[in-house]
Amino acid sequence: MSTIFNYQRRATVDVNVGGLMLGSSHEVRVQSMTNTNTDDIEASVAQSRRIADRGGDIVRLTAQGVKEAENIGRIRAALREQGCNVPLVADIHFNPKAAFAAAAVTDKVRINPGNFVDPARQFKSLSYTDEEYQAELQRIHDALVPFIDICREHGTAVRLGVNHGSLSDRIMSRYGNTAAGMVESVMEFLRVFVEQKFFDVVISMKASNVVVMVEAVRRVVAAMDAEDMHFPLHLGVTEAGFGEDGRIKSAVGIGCLMAEGKGDTIRVSLSEDPEVEVPVAQKLVQYITSRAGHEPIEAVPYEGYDAMQPQRRQSTVVAEKIGGRKVPVVIASCAPADVQGRLKPDYYFADGVFTDGVNSYPLLSLDDFTHDAAAAVQFVQVSAEASKESLQVLKGKQNVVVIATTAHVNVPGSLQALLHTMVNEGIDCPVVVRACYADADTEWLQVKAGADLGTLLLNGFADGVWLEAPNYESQQKVVEYAFAILQAARLRTSKTEFISCPSCGRTMFDLQTTVQQVKEATSHLTHLKIGVMGCVVNGPGEMADADYGYVGAARHSISLYKGKQCIERNVPETEAIPRLVALIKANGDWIDP
């Protein structure tokens, strides 16, 4: 029974986080992060309580220095006095002394291999001989051992949290800004923990680019397996953003990995109040883990399939726009009059007939299908439960589009099994995956559709998506969600992509308000990616994938970026958005609304 198709949790060791157990023998834990400064004990306690009261299993707080780290111990003591036993995690960047202090007073310490020993990233190209590189590894070893000793003494767990945006220049110079570099960054540290026989360790590999994040997690699992390591995973998409985009982007990345059984604790990072993240993550966990013990899906992966970095399935091009290397199409179950926004589907479906606004085509069942070579396109609905024998009528047909459906509880597993079977049988018709969520409200629809369709898209198995929500209040929004899923999977760009971080104690401005203001000024620039980052920890790095960036430099002071290059420093916050617009115009990327 292939684990490509069947849901089963990846086996891990247990990790104790303040009495809460993490690992495959336990529920997938949900967490969030405060956006208060730990100097404000009262506010930090109150926000931690709000997260815990919404069902958050773990709360993380940032600590810039030793004093802020020690304050987490005071926050923990105050919570315990109130009867709240939620474990607290100290989030540390750049400051090993703060990590040492936190290890003595909190339940878990997150350190970043990109900046725990190495200096802050400057995007410098460095060169090392093998001997020099080995000396760097020894320096990491010598810095980590005392930290491990303190964690052991106090029963404090550790998260080794790698961010794509904060790989060190040392790693970048040898491995590039890649998922492979992220893996080596964490494995250098993890080998020291194993050598020291310290096993209360959790691993995270995060990126704002969902494709990179998914590949990095898959690669680190393979790297750990190769060295007989089986540590729990913390999953999350950094800088996922605000509103529906943040929820869908998180569901696509986290849902894809959870569908493979990976993930023992998750955080949905939204540019919103921290406690709002919790119910979204809970829905994602509930939806994916409800597949446990499902009816087995029997299929054979096609030869050459790369589960680490899947490539898009090869298919013919039909009607000059479906299949091959064309962007995936969108189908909507409504009439053209129901979609009045800027984003419009490629095909509408009503009363058993598709239309592209000019031509109409019936939806055929596989049993009733008779090939018409003269037809421009024939849409044929195929169930994932169809037999290999029944699929043979599709072989060699040049004008057929398969509409793939399933009634199985494991939607992506079942549909992937069908697609692998089609490849094995030499059937190269393009495939549109059809998924229906009859009773889903807004957040449930975003989570379910993002997780299911996103998994298929990231694994190369869709030439189009047909998202149905027949009872949903707005078919316009259903269409927008379909486009958002395609954009999250990096397969079809339909709007400005905003890379915005969840606020934390390092944030230098009112993030939620600022994100909305930047969107209002630039949301018509659909050809651009714009980063809105609260501070410099991950900002310049995560924004390396963006065209322009708005980054907190100091309190109410902003730095503006073009790609990785800082163009203007310490711009007053009141002037920052007009100056960002001016920067975009100066580089010829502005289009009038």
Side-chain angles (χ1 to χ4, degrees):
M1 186 173 72
S2 174
T3 55
I4 292 177
F5 312 121
N6 294 279
Y7 174 76
Q8 184 176 344
R9 287 278 296 276
R10 163 184 168 262
T12 74
V13 300
D14 284 346
V15 169
N16 187 338
V17 182
L20 182 77
M21 302 305 293
L22 287 183
S24 57
S25 299
H26 310 280
E27 296 177 5
V28 177
R29 309 298 188 182
V30 167
Q31 57 181 280
S32 184
M33 185 175 185
T34 67
N35 58 19
T36 55
N37 191 310
T38 60
D39 286 340
D40 190 338
I41 305 292
E42 184 177 350
S44 298
V45 168
Q47 196 169 78
S48 297
R49 281 296 305 267
R50 289 198 295 275
I51 292 170
D53 290 346
R54 289 293 291 270
D57 299 304
I58 299 171
V59 174
R60 182 156 49 110
L61 305 95
T62 192
Q64 298 94 320
V66 171
K67 178 171 65 73
E68 291 85 356
E70 291 173 342
N71 282 340
I72 297 178
R74 299 181 179 95
I75 294 163
R76 184 172 70 161
L79 287 166
R80 300 298 180 265
E81 288 177 4
Q82 296 178 17
C84 179
N85 296 316
V86 64
L88 299 187
V89 182
D91 192 71
I92 309 295
H93 292 272
F94 302 116
N95 194 337
K97 291 181 180 179
F100 279 63
V105 298
T106 192
D107 301 300
K108 183 166 76 170
V109 179
R110 180 273 175 100
I111 60 173
N112 185 339
N115 56 41
F116 185 79
V117 176
D118 289 302
R121 180 174 174 177
Q122 299 294 320
F123 299 101
K124 293 180 179 178
S125 179
L126 306 176
S127 179
Y128 297 92
T129 65
D130 289 344
E131 292 77 12
E132 289 170 338
Y133 204 88
Q134 192 60 42
E136 292 296 304
L137 296 182
Q138 185 62 46
R139 193 162 62 90
I140 290 171
H141 178 279
D142 294 345
L144 280 177
V145 169
F147 172 66
I148 292 171
D149 289 342
I150 292 178
C151 291
R152 195 193 316 273
E153 177 185 353
H154 293 277
T156 306
V158 175
R159 171 155 73 96
L160 297 179
V162 176
N163 279 17
H164 186 224
S166 56
L167 293 177
S168 67
D169 289 335
R170 177 179 60 81
I171 285 288
M172 287 274 292
S173 295
R174 180 159 285 205
Y175 296 94
N177 194 24
T178 63
M182 294 173 68
V183 171
E184 188 56 31
S185 182
V186 76
M187 292 301 291
E188 290 176 350
F189 277 57
L190 193 51
R191 292 180 188 115
V192 180
F193 280 82
V194 171
E195 175 209 90
Q196 295 295 308
K197 295 182 169 52
F198 184 94
F199 302 111
D200 276 332
V201 180
V202 180
I203 306 299
S204 69
M205 313 289 284
K206 295 190 178 183
S208 61
N209 182 325
V210 170
V211 177
V212 173
M213 172 262 194
V214 169
E215 182 188 346
V217 172
R218 289 169 171 166
R219 286 188 180 277
V220 82
V221 169
M224 286 195 289
D225 286 348
E227 299 187 31
D228 196 26
M229 301 176 186
H230 309 285
F231 293 98
L233 294 169
H234 169 129
L235 301 182
V237 178
T238 59
E239 290 78 46
F242 182 85
E244 65 193 52
D245 290 335
R247 286 160 175 78
I248 288 171
K249 193 173 183 180
S250 293
V252 169
I254 299 172
C256 177
L257 291 164
M258 287 191 69
E260 300 170 4
K262 300 177 177 69
D264 305 286
T265 177
I266 71 169
R267 181 200 175 188
V268 172
S269 299
L270 302 175
S271 301
E272 302 175 38
D273 293 336
E275 60 268 27
V276 174
E277 298 177 347
V278 174
V280 187
Q282 289 173 324
K283 289 181 174 69
L284 193 49
V285 170
Q286 181 182 333
Y287 184 56
I288 302 295
T289 59
S290 67
R291 300 170 185 171
H294 66 63
E295 184 71 22
I297 300 167
E298 303 290 346
V300 177
Y302 72 76
E303 185 177 355
Y305 177 68
D306 183 359
M308 190 83 67
Q309 197 175 13
Q311 302 300 307
R312 188 168 170 183
R313 165 183 167 268
Q314 293 185 0
S315 61
T316 57
V317 177
V318 174
E320 298 184 354
K321 65 179 179 180
I322 309 177
R325 289 294 175 264
K326 303 292 185 180
V327 296
V329 297
V330 171
I331 296 176
S333 292
C334 61
D338 295 326
V339 181
Q340 298 297 320
R342 180 181 61 83
L343 295 178
K344 292 181 168 52
D346 301 281
Y347 292 91
Y348 300 86
F349 180 79
D351 299 323
V353 175
F354 295 95
T355 180
D356 57 7
V358 178
N359 302 300
S360 296
Y361 313 94
L363 176 60
L364 308 173
S365 71
L366 185 60
D367 290 339
D368 297 334
F369 170 63
T370 300
H371 185 238
D372 180 359
V377 56
Q378 289 185 282
F379 291 94
V380 182
Q381 183 155 292
V382 177
S383 167
E385 290 71 38
S387 67
K388 289 190 290 186
E389 292 73 23
S390 66
L391 295 173
Q392 298 305 314
V393 297
L394 303 172
K395 194 168 183 176
K397 304 303 187 287
Q398 299 299 306
N399 61 344
V400 172
V401 175
V402 168
I403 304 296
T405 66
T406 183
H408 199 284
V409 65
N410 186 347
V411 173
S414 179
L415 291 175
Q416 285 180 102
L418 170 64
L419 271 294
H420 276 272
T421 299
M422 288 178 63
V423 175
N424 286 331
E425 296 301 311
I427 299 167
D428 59 1
C429 304
V431 173
V432 174
V433 292
R434 181 182 189 181
C436 181
Y437 307 94
D439 300 316
D441 65 14
T442 296
E443 205 163 75
W444 271 113
L445 179 58
Q446 293 163 352
V447 165
K448 290 181 176 181
D452 289 341
L453 298 177
T455 297
L456 291 156
L457 291 163
L458 289 172
N459 288 341
F461 286 122
D463 299 295
V465 295
W466 182 356
L467 171 56
E468 290 187 290
N471 300 321
Y472 197 65
E473 58 191 6
S474 167
Q475 292 306 306
Q476 172 75 50
K477 295 303 294 185
V478 174
V479 169
E480 292 175 7
Y481 297 159
F483 276 103
I485 292 167
L486 289 171
Q487 182 146 337
R490 298 291 177 111
L491 289 172
R492 183 171 180 174
T493 300
S494 55
K495 55 187 173 182
T496 313
E497 181 162 344
F498 294 97
I499 302 170
S500 63
C501 62
S503 58
C504 71
R506 296 184 296 265
T507 304
M508 297 298 179
F509 50 83
D510 181 340
L511 191 71
Q512 293 185 44
T513 301
T514 302
V515 169
Q516 294 288 55
Q517 290 172 342
V518 172
K519 280 188 172 185
E520 289 171 8
T522 62
S523 61
H524 64 290
L525 303 175
T526 58
H527 59 299
L528 296 181
K529 294 192 287 290
I530 297 175
V532 184
M533 313 298 290
C535 73
V536 297
V537 170
N538 295 316
E542 292 294 355
M543 280 189 344
D545 192 40
D547 300 293
Y548 294 91
Y550 179 113
V551 180
R555 190 63 60 186
H556 303 302
S557 181
I558 307 301
S559 291
L560 300 177
Y561 284 73
K562 171 82 168 68
K564 293 184 290 188
Q565 184 179 1
C566 184
I567 304 299
E568 294 189 67
R569 298 183 187 276
N570 300 315
V571 177
E573 186 179 353
T574 53
E575 302 175 18
I577 292 178
R579 298 265 279 273
L580 173 64
V581 170
L583 176 62
I584 296 171
K585 289 181 176 179
N587 283 275
D589 289 325
W590 182 264
I591 299 170
D592 287 331

